[in-house]
Amino acid sequence: MERKVVLFISIFVYSFFNVSAQDNFQLSSGILRAQGAFAVGRLTESKATQIYIKGDLSYYLDSKVSVRADGFYFVDSQDKTNKPFDFSHSLFTGLSYHLGNGGAFDPYVGLQPGINFARLGSLVTTLPISPNVTSWSPVLSGHVGFNYYAPKIFHLFVHMQYIQGRFVNQLNTQSLSEFRISFGLGWNIDVLK
Amino acid sequence: MKKLLLLTLAIIITVSHDSLSQDVHESNLMITRCATKPATAKTFSQVPGMFELGVRSTASLFGDAGNHGLGSGGQFRIRFHQQMGSEWFADYIVTDIEGVGKREDAHIGWSVMFYPFKSANKRFSPYLLAGHCFDYTKVTSYGVPFPANINSERWSSAIQMGIGTHYNLNRWSDVSLSVQYMTHLGNDIHTEIVEENGLRYLTLNDHSHGASLEGHVLAMLSFNVKIGRLWKGK
């Protein structure tokens, strides 16, 4: 069984990369890419693992710079006994700088200011129930990742993001600093063609 | 099993190498194409009438209470002249006062930016800035015992001046870093952390009689995109 799985992965990876490499994909201004995926985050202070549904949208100004917006919708914490927030949604907007040379493999780095909207979980206060206290918190994030463009309209992506911020509240202050990762299949079109 | 894993790894490395080689070839083609377009004096669009839109992250440093805050916001810019522009901004900053209180600042204002160097075709474009803003401040003391929150708020006006630089990523976008000192011209909400019987709490003192020159240093990192020209000029 393991052998079959490894073989399948090998063939899939080879086919994908090989087909893509043969296609003369060229990054240029006008490329609009979007994706939706699950993201997993780990808070650096409380060590809680949080799960999100995320979506992002990028527009390439040229092959080197794109404008990017990311939205994260909090689904749940993995461990119910370590749940600092009842919810913690966030939005980011900023720029990505693309390190590649305009080909199908597109590594990038970037920075995005953002805003977080969260409600403190009952486990981090002395109250027996959720305190129902929400707060907006400014955050700053840095990201790194890559896209691998296949022919026509889709691409693989891996996106990692580090978020810096603090939930400040009279019941408790909690660090919002978190490392998030997402990967999957995204879509792209050239709106200037 | 180990052999299969090694094989998989070898395939990925080989394919990646092939792809990268092709990318390098594509890059060379691209460079050739770009080289046919001569760089103009206005490659980085320091032209009058240029309208830019951006987002910013603000760090509030060395304020009255000595605590650091983080903020987010946005701005637009309008360029009047090759060496002069303006920035119109709004941001919201939250500061944790050592776990015993919280300060929220909201600014909305404008700055005039003066570019001492004619750096239209350069990556770095340093500038001096000075301006004015309206601001709202709310300080919440968590009180002792909980939940006896008390807060104090004020609307005031402020002036700011500082230095900064754009780093032009391409002709349509830039990253800007600036540091400025903002002095509030209205009432001061003076805060002090008091320790009594082993309990720490924040006292608020609203200096509503007469103006006070309370201020803070703001460091800003912003990301901007040039949208287009509002008017055409030299």
Side-chain angles (χ1 to χ4, degrees):
Chain A
M1 180 63 189
E2 281 178 347
R3 220 172 139 169
K4 281 181 184 170
V5 170
V6 174
L7 265 175
F8 175 76
I9 293 169
S10 309
I11 292 164
F12 176 78
V13 169
Y14 182 79
S15 310
F16 187 88
F17 278 62
N18 202 36
V19 168
S20 305
Q22 285 168 10
D23 186 73
N24 289 324
F25 183 86
Q26 190 68 57
L27 277 176
S28 61
S29 62
I31 290 178
L32 183 71
R33 57 162 294 280
Q35 60 86 9
F38 280 99
V40 178
R42 184 148 173 101
L43 290 162
T44 55
E45 197 174 276
S46 63
K47 310 291 183 205
T49 302
Q50 307 194 120
I51 299 156
Y52 303 88
I53 293 173
K54 77 157 286 193
D56 68 60
L57 192 66
S58 299
Y59 178 79
Y60 285 72
L61 298 172
D62 64 12
S63 64
K64 286 288 178 191
V65 181
S66 65
V67 184
R68 181 183 177 106
D70 290 62
F72 288 83
Y73 180 82
F74 180 89
V75 177
D76 207 350
S77 285
Q78 193 186 36
D79 182 0
K80 299 281 184 275
T81 60
N82 185 12
K83 190 177 178 183
F85 301 106
D86 278 350
F87 60 76
S88 174
H89 311 307
S90 43
L91 269 175
F92 302 91
T93 313
L95 295 178
S96 291
Y97 186 77
H98 298 264
L99 305 165
N101 33 48
F105 180 64
D106 174 32
Y108 59 83
V109 294
L111 287 167
Q112 294 170 297
I115 194 90
N116 179 279
F117 181 60
R119 185 167 74 194
L120 210 57
S122 57
L123 293 170
V124 293
T125 71
T126 52
L127 302 174
I129 54 164
S130 178
N132 198 22
V133 173
T134 56
S135 191
W136 291 91
S137 312
V139 285
L140 175 65
S141 87
H143 61 253
V144 57
F146 70 85
N147 300 310
Y148 198 94
Y149 288 90
K152 311 258 184 221
I153 56 162
F154 66 94
H155 60 271
L156 282 177
F157 72 90
V158 176
H159 182 76
M160 288 169 281
Q161 190 164 6
Y162 179 75
I163 295 147
Q164 178 68 44
R166 195 151 195 92
F167 179 95
V168 182
N169 184 267
Q170 72 265 32
L171 295 174
N172 203 332
T173 67
Q174 280 283 316
S175 172
L176 291 166
S177 300
E178 186 176 11
F179 179 75
R180 292 178 187 171
I181 185 164
S182 59
F183 53 88
L185 196 63
W187 303 91
N188 52 276
I189 53 166
D190 190 337
V191 294
L192 297 183
K193 264 189 183 174
Chain B
M1 182 66 190
K2 271 185 184 173
K3 282 179 187 170
L4 278 172
L5 285 171
L6 278 171
L7 180 69
T8 311
L9 198 62
I11 290 171
I12 291 171
I13 291 168
T14 312
V15 170
S16 304
H17 180 261
D18 288 350
S19 311
L20 285 174
S21 303
Q22 178 142 350
D23 287 348
V24 170
H25 175 65
E26 285 166 0
S27 167
N28 290 339
L29 287 175
M30 201 175 164
I31 289 164
T32 312
R33 275 199 294 271
C34 291
T36 59
K37 289 182 182 177
T40 66
K42 289 173 181 172
T43 301
F44 295 119
S45 308
Q46 314 287 347
V47 289
M50 184 58 74
F51 178 78
E52 296 179 37
L53 206 55
V55 289
R56 61 166 56 192
S57 194
T58 308
S60 173
L61 312 165
F62 314 116
D64 184 36
N67 302 105
H68 298 173
L70 182 67
S72 292
Q75 74 273 331
F76 64 86
R77 292 177 181 154
I78 300 171
R79 193 89 170 191
F80 300 130
H81 180 265
Q82 193 182 351
Q83 285 183 267
M84 189 167 286
S86 63
E87 185 173 77
W88 307 71
F89 62 88
D91 57 23
Y92 171 65
I93 304 168
V94 175
T95 308
D96 178 20
I97 308 175
E98 297 182 33
V100 293
K102 172 184 183 179
R103 177 181 173 126
E104 293 162 274
D105 290 286
H107 301 128
I108 182 164
W110 55 90
S111 295
V112 174
M113 303 151 90
F114 173 67
Y115 300 85
F117 310 110
K118 288 188 176 178
S119 50
N121 198 23
K122 290 176 183 161
R123 288 275 179 195
F124 282 100
S125 184
Y127 57 87
L128 305 169
L129 66 86
H132 171 260
C133 79
F134 295 105
D135 75 282
Y136 168 76
T137 301
K138 181 180 178 184
V139 182
T140 306
S141 167
Y142 301 158
V144 177
F146 169 83
N149 280 354
I150 49 169
N151 61 56
S152 187
E153 58 187 359
R154 63 118 194 260
W155 282 93
S156 83
S157 182
I159 52 171
Q160 71 273 355
M161 62 188 301
I163 55 169
T165 184
H166 307 311
Y167 179 76
N168 296 296
L169 294 169
N170 61 9
R171 62 178 299 193
W172 293 111
S173 61
D174 70 71
V175 177
S176 301
L177 183 66
S178 66
V179 180
Q180 62 189 46
Y181 187 76
M182 181 177 277
T183 301
H184 296 280
L185 303 173
N187 304 331
D188 175 28
I189 304 173
H190 182 71
T191 59
E192 192 176 347
I193 296 171
V194 176
E195 208 159 338
E196 269 183 12
N197 303 324
L199 292 171
R200 294 169 80 237
Y201 60 93
L202 191 72
T203 60
L204 307 179
N205 189 1
D206 189 350
H207 289 181
S208 54
H209 306 293
S212 150
L213 292 178
E214 171 227 358
H216 51 157
V217 175
L218 299 172
M220 262 144 322
L221 182 65
S222 69
F223 309 93
N224 305 280
V225 175
K226 293 171 178 68
I227 304 297
R229 293 180 74 175
L230 297 178
W231 68 86
K232 288 192 176 180
K234 285 185 180 178

